[in-house]
mmCIF file with all atom_site columns, all heavy atoms in Angstrom:
data_model
loop_
_atom_site.group_PDB
_atom_site.id
_atom_site.type_symbol
_atom_site.label_atom_id
_atom_site.label_alt_id
_atom_site.label_comp_id
_atom_site.label_asym_id
_atom_site.label_entity_id
_atom_site.label_seq_id
_atom_site.pdbx_PDB_ins_code
_atom_site.Cartn_x
_atom_site.Cartn_y
_atom_site.Cartn_z
_atom_site.occupancy
_atom_site.B_iso_or_equiv
_atom_site.pdbx_formal_charge
_atom_site.auth_seq_id
_atom_site.auth_comp_id
_atom_site.auth_asym_id
_atom_site.auth_atom_id
_atom_site.pdbx_PDB_model_num
ATOM 1  N N   . PRO B 1 344 ? 100.195 102.319 76.793 1.00 0.00 ? 344 PRO B N   1
ATOM 2  C CA  . PRO B 1 344 ? 100.340 101.182 77.712 1.00 0.00 ? 344 PRO B CA  1
ATOM 3  C C   . PRO B 1 344 ? 101.336 101.447 78.829 1.00 0.00 ? 344 PRO B C   1
ATOM 4  O O   . PRO B 1 344 ? 101.114 101.049 79.974 1.00 0.00 ? 344 PRO B O   1
ATOM 5  C CB  . PRO B 1 344 ? 100.851 100.052 76.797 1.00 0.00 ? 344 PRO B CB  1
ATOM 6  C CG  . PRO B 1 344 ? 100.471 100.451 75.423 1.00 0.00 ? 344 PRO B CG  1
ATOM 7  C CD  . PRO B 1 344 ? 100.484 101.951 75.391 1.00 0.00 ? 344 PRO B CD  1
ATOM 8  N N   . CYS B 1 345 ? 102.415 102.139 78.521 1.00 0.00 ? 345 CYS B N   1
ATOM 9  C CA  . CYS B 1 345 ? 103.445 102.422 79.522 1.00 0.00 ? 345 CYS B CA  1
ATOM 10 C C   . CYS B 1 345 ? 102.998 103.554 80.439 1.00 0.00 ? 345 CYS B C   1
ATOM 11 O O   . CYS B 1 345 ? 103.065 103.453 81.659 1.00 0.00 ? 345 CYS B O   1
ATOM 12 C CB  . CYS B 1 345 ? 104.759 102.756 78.819 1.00 0.00 ? 345 CYS B CB  1
ATOM 13 S SG  . CYS B 1 345 ? 106.102 103.223 79.905 1.00 0.00 ? 345 CYS B SG  1
ATOM 14 N N   . ARG B 1 346 ? 102.523 104.636 79.847 1.00 0.00 ? 346 ARG B N   1
ATOM 15 C CA  . ARG B 1 346 ? 102.112 105.798 80.649 1.00 0.00 ? 346 ARG B CA  1
ATOM 16 C C   . ARG B 1 346 ? 101.031 105.415 81.659 1.00 0.00 ? 346 ARG B C   1
ATOM 17 O O   . ARG B 1 346 ? 101.124 105.719 82.840 1.00 0.00 ? 346 ARG B O   1
ATOM 18 C CB  . ARG B 1 346 ? 101.587 106.915 79.726 1.00 0.00 ? 346 ARG B CB  1
ATOM 19 C CG  . ARG B 1 346 ? 101.180 108.176 80.472 1.00 0.00 ? 346 ARG B CG  1
ATOM 20 C CD  . ARG B 1 346 ? 100.547 109.186 79.529 1.00 0.00 ? 346 ARG B CD  1
ATOM 21 N NE  . ARG B 1 346 ? 99.329  108.664 78.925 1.00 0.00 ? 346 ARG B NE  1
ATOM 22 C CZ  . ARG B 1 346 ? 99.091  108.595 77.628 1.00 0.00 ? 346 ARG B CZ  1
ATOM 23 N NH1 . ARG B 1 346 ? 99.977  109.021 76.761 1.00 0.00 ? 346 ARG B NH1 1
ATOM 24 N NH2 . ARG B 1 346 ? 97.953  108.089 77.176 1.00 0.00 ? 346 ARG B NH2 1
ATOM 25 N N   . GLU B 1 347 ? 99.988  104.713 81.181 1.00 0.00 ? 347 GLU B N   1
ATOM 26 C CA  . GLU B 1 347 ? 98.881  104.336 82.068 1.00 0.00 ? 347 GLU B CA  1
ATOM 27 C C   . GLU B 1 347 ? 99.237  103.104 82.892 1.00 0.00 ? 347 GLU B C   1
ATOM 28 O O   . GLU B 1 347 ? 98.984  103.048 84.080 1.00 0.00 ? 347 GLU B O   1
ATOM 29 C CB  . GLU B 1 347 ? 97.611  104.075 81.244 1.00 0.00 ? 347 GLU B CB  1
ATOM 30 C CG  . GLU B 1 347 ? 97.174  105.253 80.387 1.00 0.00 ? 347 GLU B CG  1
ATOM 31 C CD  . GLU B 1 347 ? 96.925  106.508 81.203 1.00 0.00 ? 347 GLU B CD  1
ATOM 32 O OE1 . GLU B 1 347 ? 96.378  106.401 82.322 1.00 0.00 ? 347 GLU B OE1 1
ATOM 33 O OE2 . GLU B 1 347 ? 97.299  107.601 80.735 1.00 0.00 ? 347 GLU B OE2 1
ATOM 34 N N   . GLY B 1 348 ? 99.837  102.125 82.214 1.00 0.00 ? 348 GLY B N   1
ATOM 35 C CA  . GLY B 1 348 ? 100.117 100.840 82.871 1.00 0.00 ? 348 GLY B CA  1
ATOM 36 C C   . GLY B 1 348 ? 101.037 100.981 84.074 1.00 0.00 ? 348 GLY B C   1
ATOM 37 O O   . GLY B 1 348 ? 100.781 100.398 85.129 1.00 0.00 ? 348 GLY B O   1
ATOM 38 N N   . THR B 1 349 ? 102.088 101.779 83.938 1.00 0.00 ? 349 THR B N   1
ATOM 39 C CA  . THR B 1 349 ? 103.015 101.920 85.069 1.00 0.00 ? 349 THR B CA  1
ATOM 40 C C   . THR B 1 349 ? 102.313 102.557 86.272 1.00 0.00 ? 349 THR B C   1
ATOM 41 O O   . THR B 1 349 ? 102.572 102.191 87.414 1.00 0.00 ? 349 THR B O   1
ATOM 42 C CB  . THR B 1 349 ? 104.248 102.770 84.686 1.00 0.00 ? 349 THR B CB  1
ATOM 43 O OG1 . THR B 1 349 ? 103.812 103.997 84.107 1.00 0.00 ? 349 THR B OG1 1
ATOM 44 C CG2 . THR B 1 349 ? 105.159 102.045 83.706 1.00 0.00 ? 349 THR B CG2 1
ATOM 45 N N   . GLY B 1 350 ? 101.386 103.451 86.010 1.00 0.00 ? 350 GLY B N   1
ATOM 46 C CA  . GLY B 1 350 ? 100.631 104.075 87.094 1.00 0.00 ? 350 GLY B CA  1
ATOM 47 C C   . GLY B 1 350 ? 99.706  103.066 87.767 1.00 0.00 ? 350 GLY B C   1
ATOM 48 O O   . GLY B 1 350 ? 99.615  103.015 88.993 1.00 0.00 ? 350 GLY B O   1
ATOM 49 N N   . TRP B 1 351 ? 99.051  102.258 86.962 1.00 0.00 ? 351 TRP B N   1
ATOM 50 C CA  . TRP B 1 351 ? 98.161  101.232 87.535 1.00 0.00 ? 351 TRP B CA  1
ATOM 51 C C   . TRP B 1 351 ? 98.962  100.245 88.371 1.00 0.00 ? 351 TRP B C   1
ATOM 52 O O   . TRP B 1 351 ? 98.548  99.858  89.460 1.00 0.00 ? 351 TRP B O   1
ATOM 53 C CB  . TRP B 1 351 ? 97.426  100.473 86.419 1.00 0.00 ? 351 TRP B CB  1
ATOM 54 C CG  . TRP B 1 351 ? 96.484  101.312 85.623 1.00 0.00 ? 351 TRP B CG  1
ATOM 55 C CD1 . TRP B 1 351 ? 95.994  102.543 85.959 1.00 0.00 ? 351 TRP B CD1 1
ATOM 56 C CD2 . TRP B 1 351 ? 95.917  100.989 84.351 1.00 0.00 ? 351 TRP B CD2 1
ATOM 57 N NE1 . TRP B 1 351 ? 95.163  103.002 84.962 1.00 0.00 ? 351 TRP B NE1 1
ATOM 58 C CE2 . TRP B 1 351 ? 95.088  102.073 83.970 1.00 0.00 ? 351 TRP B CE2 1
ATOM 59 C CE3 . TRP B 1 351 ? 96.018  99.898  83.480 1.00 0.00 ? 351 TRP B CE3 1
ATOM 60 C CZ2 . TRP B 1 351 ? 94.381  102.094 82.775 1.00 0.00 ? 351 TRP B CZ2 1
ATOM 61 C CZ3 . TRP B 1 351 ? 95.310  99.902  82.294 1.00 0.00 ? 351 TRP B CZ3 1
ATOM 62 C CH2 . TRP B 1 351 ? 94.496  100.998 81.937 1.00 0.00 ? 351 TRP B CH2 1
ATOM 63 N N   . LEU B 1 352 ? 100.114 99.836  87.823 1.00 0.00 ? 352 LEU B N   1
ATOM 64 C CA  . LEU B 1 352 ? 100.941 98.865  88.554 1.00 0.00 ? 352 LEU B CA  1
ATOM 65 C C   . LEU B 1 352 ? 101.333 99.421  89.927 1.00 0.00 ? 352 LEU B C   1
ATOM 66 O O   . LEU B 1 352 ? 101.249 98.733  90.945 1.00 0.00 ? 352 LEU B O   1
ATOM 67 C CB  . LEU B 1 352 ? 102.199 98.509  87.746 1.00 0.00 ? 352 LEU B CB  1
ATOM 68 C CG  . LEU B 1 352 ? 101.977 97.681  86.470 1.00 0.00 ? 352 LEU B CG  1
ATOM 69 C CD1 . LEU B 1 352 ? 103.268 97.571  85.668 1.00 0.00 ? 352 LEU B CD1 1
ATOM 70 C CD2 . LEU B 1 352 ? 101.457 96.287  86.796 1.00 0.00 ? 352 LEU B CD2 1
#
Side-chain angles (χ1 to χ4, degrees):
Chain B
C345 177
R346 182 186 62 235
E347 303 302 321
T349 52
W351 295 344
L352 290 172

